[in-house]
Amino acid sequence: MVELKGKGVSGGIAIGKLAFVKRDEISVKRTRIENTQKEMERFETAKEISKEQLQSLYEKAVKEVGESSAQIFAIHQALMDDPDYNDSVDNIIHSQCLNAEYAVAVTSDNFADMFAAMEDEYMRERAADIRDISNRIMRNLQQSQEEQSQTEEKHIICADDLAPSETVQMDKSKVLAFCTKFGSSNSHTAILARTMNLPAVIGLGEELLAEYNGKEAIVDGSTGTIYIEPEQKMLEEMRRQQQAQEHRKELLKELKGKENVTLNGQKIKVFANVGGLSDIGQVLANDAGGIGLFRSEFLYLESSDYPSEETQFSTYRQILEKMAGKKVIIRTLDIGADKQIDYFHLDKEENPALGFRAIRICLTRPEIFKTQLRALYRASVYGNLGIMFPMIISLEEIHKIKQVVSEVKEELKAEGLPLKEDVELGIMIETPAAVMVSDMLAKEVDFFSVGTNDLTQYTLAIDRQNPKLESFCDTHHPALLRMIEFAADNAHKHGAWIGICGELGGDLELTEQFLAMGIDELSVSPSLVLPLREKIRSTDMTTYETAEKKLRLNS
Ligand code: PEP
Ligand code: MG
């Protein structure tokens, strides 16, 4: 048995086989083949798929960045039809009886080397294009084979790290738990694991060897331990613990239908955070009072192209209908930083967390923003919608947002489409700037929702993605708690309500402090709704000394 220690970021125990994520790195085997004609057909099919992908990239880029920047995709399509390139592939397949992947890889190397050695700078740059088109064809060649080899078994997913787009695209019905070499507690992958209620351990380091692939293992998300090829005794102990956890979950179910009220009668709303339609079942099963954060960007991350107004409308409508009149707060697109989407073609940035993201993208590319707002307002008549805007730093942004919102409403009305006039509009408080001007912002909106994940990183200057900084990241830092209290006071003074939708909202060690600050709503992973309700119901705020003392607000 091998025991590895990391950091548990989502509790629970999973027992099953380890499966390492296969990445796009293309490892090409040299295989002899019998039927060269069939192999050529595989190559031609992969090439056609590649050209179709490039065509849709081209069309999208023309719309967004203009003809001249889109040209590269047209060049790539033309390169795929280059007779010399195709002759070379054909020759290797037919005369050497070798597989298409290998033929493309060799051709790619030869042609790229040839271009790289040319005098002309323009021609030298074509070396990268050759590699690019060849990689695309190879990926498409491998795709069909990988699809065939998928199994129905559930696995413990292992990786160096996982990008949100990878996590979100996984077939969740086949995932038992997540284990990564790197990663950080507040990364979106950790958040997704908590939303899905799956155990997750990060920071296992280089000892998480690829050779463990396929081996039986236990993941204990509470202690951050994984046991590979566990001994019988350990398996039995972990199965006992698993049952005890299930039993506790059953007991918590007795709290369903009960109020979130302290022993001395203080009430607070408990909502849930979700990433997609598939999480709504968990929201209802755990009796959340509403949805405090729907991360709409996952709709975009799951998709290979911009989700249309109709697609978005259908999703928002279904959420609102399923929530049957309970509050549903949908956050507008919050991409950038770690949430990268290929088809947005965003530039690589030195400091992506401080970069072109969230509302900055929406205000720069209003066609994207308007499509989403149209879908949201059209869906508004199907339930109790609130719309929330991420990464706000200034009053001017709110004015600009309101301008776009009123244009969208007018357009819909002119088209005769029904909408709700009084949809609550709120903003995320996740930058120190927003906290500091929260008095001004509160006058303009209906509600605030504190995004403690980003507010922590921007206040403490600690990149939430950087695993090396875990030990420096004090999520109870008084600077952060003071910020939340400051924003709460300003919200209440100026007629707005305030919730917390960052991960700190579910930190039971802080529940009393949040109650003392008068926070109106806490929005947490669905599986935390009932433990939080239990905590609230056992709290007596009359015996709570003073908020300041516990908060370490005063030294
Ligand atoms: C936050 O920053 O706290 C938040 C809720 O948003 P996200 O984690 O999606 O950035
Ligand atoms: Mg955020």
Side-chain angles (χ1 to χ4, degrees), residues 506-526:
D507 184 333
L508 302 186
E509 286 177 30
L510 294 174
T511 309
E512 285 169 294
Q513 285 150 22
F514 294 149
L515 284 161
M517 291 177 194
I519 299 292
D520 302 285
E521 172 248 30
L522 294 169
S523 191
V524 298
S525 301

Side-chain angles (χ1 to χ4, degrees), residues 85-376:
Y85 184 91
N86 282 276
D87 280 353
S88 165
V89 174
D90 186 308
N91 195 19
I92 297 170
I93 292 177
H94 276 121
S95 62
Q96 300 177 41
C97 296
L98 291 170
N99 56 321
E101 287 88 338
Y102 184 78
V104 173
V106 171
T107 304
S108 172
D109 284 347
N110 291 344
F111 277 64
D113 289 350
M114 185 177 80
F115 278 115
M118 287 183 179
E119 288 278 310
D120 185 275
E121 194 187 331
Y122 175 83
M123 295 310 278
R124 273 206 309 274
E125 280 171 12
R126 301 282 73 80
D129 295 324
I130 289 288
R131 291 202 190 281
D132 216 3
I133 62 155
S134 305
N135 284 344
R136 184 176 289 280
I137 298 173
M138 285 191 279
R139 264 198 302 274
N140 285 321
L141 273 166
Q142 291 186 340
Q143 193 76 28
S144 49
Q145 297 202 331
E146 270 168 24
E147 273 162 16
Q148 287 159 14
S149 66
Q150 277 180 4
T151 68
E152 285 310 306
E153 211 182 332
K154 284 189 170 198
H155 281 103
I156 296 165
I157 301 296
C158 300
D160 288 358
D161 202 353
L162 287 164
S165 56
E166 290 176 307
T167 319
V168 95
Q169 280 172 21
M170 268 173 203
D171 178 353
K172 282 143 204 128
S173 64
K174 292 187 187 157
V175 181
L176 285 170
F178 293 106
C179 294
T180 62
K181 285 186 187 172
F182 313 111
S184 58
S185 334
N186 262 343
S187 67
H188 282 94
T189 297
I191 292 171
L192 276 167
R194 289 193 282 269
T195 308
M196 294 186 238
N197 201 14
L198 292 173
V201 178
I202 59 162
L204 286 155
E206 295 298 343
E207 286 170 44
L208 183 64
L209 304 173
E211 68 193 48
Y212 297 143
N213 195 31
K215 298 227 154 72
E216 187 79 21
I218 304 170
V219 178
D220 184 348
S222 316
T223 60
T225 318
I226 72 169
Y227 306 92
I228 298 157
E229 298 192 308
E231 287 154 5
Q232 193 55 28
K233 237 172 72 195
M234 178 61 79
L235 258 175
E236 283 163 16
E237 168 56 23
M238 285 299 177
R239 288 213 176 100
R240 249 195 315 277
Q241 287 192 27
Q242 219 177 12
Q243 275 174 0
Q245 288 178 359
E246 285 307 315
H247 183 61
R248 174 159 157 73
K249 274 193 207 151
E250 283 303 311
L251 287 179
L252 280 170
K253 282 191 188 153
E254 299 194 348
L255 291 174
K256 282 165 83 168
K258 302 230 163 102
E259 272 194 300
N260 305 302
V261 59
T262 62
L263 291 169
N264 59 312
Q266 183 176 344
K267 289 186 188 164
I268 185 166
K269 292 189 176 109
V270 178
F271 286 5
N273 294 343
V274 294
L277 255 180
S278 57
D279 298 326
I280 309 294
Q282 281 299 312
V283 175
L284 296 171
N286 287 286
D287 193 33
I291 291 175
L293 168 63
F294 178 93
R295 288 181 162 94
S296 73
E297 57 276 10
F298 287 123
L299 249 179
Y300 294 71
L301 281 163
E302 279 164 354
S303 165
S304 56
D305 201 346
Y306 294 94
S308 66
E309 181 181 318
E310 281 314 307
T311 305
Q312 294 192 54
F313 165 66
S314 154
T315 305
Y316 304 149
R317 174 183 168 164
Q318 286 180 67
I319 299 164
L320 287 158
E321 285 179 337
K322 284 185 191 214
M323 291 303 290
K326 288 183 176 165
K327 187 98 204 161
V328 175
I329 296 176
I330 300 184
R331 175 174 75 184
T332 58
L333 180 65
D334 182 13
I335 59 153
D338 64 320
K339 288 179 277 195
Q340 290 294 330
I341 303 179
D342 288 349
Y343 58 83
F344 272 75
H345 304 297
L346 300 175
D347 291 337
K348 247 195 144 22
E349 295 175 303
E350 282 290 316
N351 291 304
L354 306 178
F356 189 52
R357 54 174 297 198
I359 201 67
R360 300 168 187 180
I361 297 178
C362 287
L363 290 175
T364 313
R365 289 165 73 173
E367 71 291 353
I368 296 175
F369 196 29
K370 276 192 161 180
T371 303
Q372 181 166 38
L373 287 170
R374 279 179 62 94
L376 284 166

Side-chain angles (χ1 to χ4, degrees), residues 186-188 191 273 293 295 297-298 331 334 338-339 357 388 390-391 428-431 449-458 464 500-504 523:
N186 262 343
S187 67
H188 282 94
I191 292 171
N273 294 343
L293 168 63
R295 288 181 162 94
E297 57 276 10
F298 287 123
R331 175 174 75 184
D334 182 13
D338 64 320
K339 288 179 277 195
R357 54 174 297 198
M388 174 158 80
M391 283 297 292
M428 300 274 303
I429 298 287
E430 52 185 347
T431 63
S449 189
V450 186
T452 53
N453 310 332
D454 277 314
L455 188 58
T456 307
Q457 84 165 336
Y458 297 130
R464 68 192 264 192
I500 298 177
C501 65
E503 295 296 293
L504 215 57
S523 191

Side-chain angles (χ1 to χ4, degrees), residues 11 24 42 50 70 74 78 91 112 117 126 222 247 355 413 460 502 534 536:
D24 267 1
R42 278 187 65 229
S50 305
N91 195 19
R126 301 282 73 80
S222 316
H247 183 61
K413 279 188 230 164
L460 305 184
E534 186 184 46
I536 294 162

